[in-house]
Amino acid sequence: MDISIKENIIPLVSAAVAIVSLFVATRSLAQSKVSARLASYNARGSYDVFLTKDSQFKCCFGNANHQVKIYSSIMSGTIDFDYEINIIAINGGIYRAQLFENIEKREFIGISTTGPELRASIPTNSPPKKYANQGRVSFYGTPLFPYFSAASRENDTADEDAIQLNRYHQYIEITDFCGNTEIWYLAFSLHLSKLESDFNKADGWRALAKNSTPYKYYRFAAVTIVSPKDLPKNLDAALTPQQTLEEIRGSEESWQPSTQLSDAGWEAMNNKLKLYEMQEYYRFIKRIKDNL
């Protein structure tokens, strides 16, 4: 063969081999990514649950994800809960997530009292384009009713209902693509006041624009987010007998004046409620393990 022909063929062959190698490498990389994405759906889920502040747009135009009732009545006015509940998967993914309540007596059977069940899916006819842990789950819900409420005068105030503390809660069920389920717990308090002395923006107090309540000011406080991983370090509190809701309030009914709120203040009542909730959360998780 002519030397000049060899000199022309060799570069062409080398280029062809390089192109084929590049094609094979690209296909291998693409297939590896598909395999990794598929494998991520089979990993056990590990999650983070957190709150984010709603945007000013939502606050101004009344598009808050959640609202809370001031009283345990369907006729009660509502207040926007200025935070959004978010779940992200650190590992694995979120196949299903839902909110539900459990502390108070339930007279219904269903998956949720406040919002729809959120469900993800894996494409069946084509490989998934994202890893299982990519994305974020958030909720929209109907207004929450307080599971606990206490109202009282403050100090020497003549008004018997000058201040009020409401406590709200939600259980959060999170299930991964392998069927493993975790139950998280979220609770927070709403402080309401008619007193000018309470209105301090630095402490989180805000003016209440609603006309459906005699209170002038409010703030959200004492947010608690608990996961099963938090039980070991709180086991002593969970196993120690706590006061009942009536003992924490200082009255049998929520409409009766609360001497505890008047004498001890917001934080003392919040702390007692947190301990009570930890015990109830522990009992609930234990019942699941013992009976399912």
Side-chain angles (χ1 to χ4, degrees):
M1 183 179 294
D2 191 273
I3 295 177
S4 62
I5 297 177
K6 288 184 178 181
E7 291 178 348
N8 292 330
I9 291 178
I10 291 174
L12 291 175
V13 172
S14 300
V17 171
I19 292 172
V20 171
S21 300
L22 178 62
F23 175 77
V24 171
T26 303
R27 291 288 296 175
S28 298
L29 178 61
Q31 188 59 46
S32 296
K33 289 182 177 180
V34 171
S35 299
R37 288 195 292 264
L38 285 171
S40 70
Y41 287 86
N42 295 319
R44 186 180 181 91
S46 177
Y47 315 102
D48 186 19
V49 178
F50 57 96
L51 301 180
T52 54
K53 184 77 173 177
D54 271 345
S55 65
Q56 288 296 324
F57 178 83
K58 283 188 175 182
C59 295
C60 293
F61 291 93
N63 293 321
N65 286 33
H66 295 277
Q67 294 179 318
V68 297
K69 290 283 188 180
I70 298 173
Y71 305 109
S72 295
S73 168
I74 194 171
M75 302 301 293
S76 168
T78 60
I79 295 177
D80 289 344
F81 183 53
D82 300 329
Y83 299 88
E84 185 177 6
I85 305 170
N86 301 278
I87 309 172
I88 60 172
I90 307 301
N91 191 44
I94 302 171
Y95 173 67
R96 186 180 72 182
Q98 56 182 282
L99 305 176
F100 65 96
E101 302 173 32
N102 194 65
I103 284 183
E104 68 278 18
K105 181 180 179 182
R106 298 179 65 181
E107 297 179 350
F108 59 89
I109 296 177
I111 63 168
S112 177
T113 61
T114 58
E117 174 186 6
L118 302 181
R119 188 184 296 268
S121 61
I122 303 178
T124 56
N125 298 323
S126 60
K129 296 181 180 179
K130 297 195 301 183
Y131 288 88
N133 65 340
Q134 290 180 326
R136 183 180 68 177
V137 172
S138 58
F139 295 90
Y140 288 86
T142 56
L144 282 174
F145 289 91
Y147 83 83
F148 173 89
S149 185
S152 182
R153 65 168 58 92
E154 186 175 83
N155 299 327
D156 298 328
T157 306
D159 194 337
E160 292 188 353
D161 295 329
I163 59 175
Q164 180 171 322
L165 185 150
N166 289 349
R167 189 73 173 168
Y168 306 85
H169 77 103
Q170 291 278 268
Y171 281 91
I172 306 172
E173 180 205 81
I174 314 171
T175 303
D176 65 18
F177 288 90
C178 299
N180 303 304
T181 297
E182 286 188 6
I183 305 294
W184 289 55
Y185 181 77
L186 167 69
F188 57 91
S189 294
L190 170 66
H191 298 170
L192 296 157
S193 178
K194 301 177 184 178
L195 306 176
E196 298 292 337
S197 58
D198 278 334
F199 185 50
N200 184 349
K201 291 185 177 181
D203 293 333
W205 287 95
R206 300 177 61 181
L208 187 59
K210 306 287 186 180
N211 296 321
S212 55
T213 172
Y215 294 102
K216 297 180 180 179
Y217 312 109
Y218 76 97
R219 68 176 177 180
F220 291 103
V223 176
T224 299
I225 300 178
V226 185
S227 76
K229 300 178 183 66
D230 296 315
L231 281 174
K233 61 186 177 185
N234 292 290
L235 191 58
D236 287 342
L239 295 177
T240 302
Q242 305 297 332
Q243 291 181 316
T244 65
L245 293 179
E246 290 74 17
E247 290 171 337
I248 294 173
R249 185 187 301 112
S251 62
E252 292 186 2
E253 302 292 342
S254 60
W255 51 265
Q256 295 174 333
S258 169
T259 56
Q260 299 290 344
L261 180 58
S262 177
D263 295 341
W266 309 102
E267 294 308 317
M269 185 165 284
N270 282 331
N271 291 335
K272 290 179 180 179
L273 288 169
K274 289 178 181 179
L275 291 174
Y276 173 82
E277 291 162 354
M278 179 57 67
Q279 185 180 63
E280 292 299 313
Y281 176 65
Y282 167 76
R283 289 175 176 174
F284 180 60
I285 296 297
K286 187 175 186 301
R287 286 199 301 273
I288 292 176
K289 292 182 177 179
D290 292 345
N291 296 284
L292 294 180

